[in-house]
Amino acid sequence: MIPIASGVRVWVATGHTDTRRGMNSLALLVQEAFRRDPHGGDIYVFRGKSGKLIKILWHDGLGMSLYAKRLERGRFLWPSSADGVVTIPPAQLGYLLEGIDWRMPQHTWRPQAAANRCDLNRRRDQQSRQRPRLVILGRRWAPMILSPTM
């Protein structure tokens, strides 16, 4: 999470922005289109055309930072405005980054696993075949490799 200081304003560019743009060209866009100082400490948020990727431009007083976040499923909900830029409170930015509808706060989707169940089961079976097992014989421990067919 971005540590937002009090008094920082969050500016959201309405519409879509070319997400191939980097730090310098987004700062130039802030300066020319929004008539704002990109080095002033405010946060600027841009959304890609598909709505799955956002970029955040922020100058913290030491240097410029560019953050990107892509949703695996769903789209970022975006405000609409005629003048091209909208300010939102920092709490709404938190909802936006989590993929939560800021008009009705609920999680949109959360992945359950990094891989599907078949891959996980196959990997677990392969690991269990390679691991030696210990068998207790009387009162002494004796390492003994058991084959999976026993």
Side-chain angles (χ1 to χ4, degrees):
M1 185 68 181
I2 301 170
I4 301 175
S6 63
V8 173
R9 295 175 71 180
V10 179
W11 298 85
V12 178
T14 59
H16 66 274
T17 305
D18 185 4
T19 54
R20 296 176 293 180
R21 288 181 175 231
M23 192 179 305
N24 294 332
S25 60
L26 287 175
L28 186 65
L29 178 68
V30 167
Q31 186 174 334
E32 292 180 350
F34 303 157
R35 306 276 185 233
R36 304 281 309 160
D37 179 18
H39 304 291
D42 290 339
I43 296 175
Y44 300 94
V45 186
F46 305 92
R47 185 181 80 153
K49 189 173 185 178
S50 68
K52 293 183 177 228
L53 178 70
I54 62 170
K55 286 191 173 185
I56 300 172
L57 187 70
W58 178 45
H59 192 279
D60 62 355
L62 299 174
M64 188 75 73
S65 299
L66 180 64
Y67 299 95
K69 182 159 186 174
R70 184 188 70 198
L71 289 180
E72 296 295 326
R73 188 173 176 184
R75 294 178 184 204
F76 290 105
L77 295 171
W78 217 243
S80 60
S81 173
D83 73 1
V85 66
V86 172
T87 59
I88 62 172
Q92 282 185 351
L93 177 64
Y95 283 139
L96 187 68
L97 290 175
E98 291 295 322
I100 299 172
D101 183 357
W102 48 271
R103 299 170 297 184
M104 182 179 58
Q106 293 179 354
H107 279 285
T108 54
W109 181 77
R110 184 172 181 90
Q112 299 298 320
N116 63 22
R117 215 29 110 183
C118 296
D119 291 339
L120 294 175
N121 289 338
R122 187 176 333 118
R123 191 174 306 130
R124 188 187 68 224
D125 291 343
Q126 289 173 351
Q127 289 173 352
S128 66
R129 286 188 204 125
Q130 297 168 354
R131 204 176 314 145
R133 298 180 187 151
L134 294 177
V135 178
I136 300 174
L137 298 176
R139 294 185 177 232
R140 295 186 312 171
W141 289 85
M144 187 176 189
I145 298 178
L146 301 175
S147 67
T149 56
M150 290 181 99

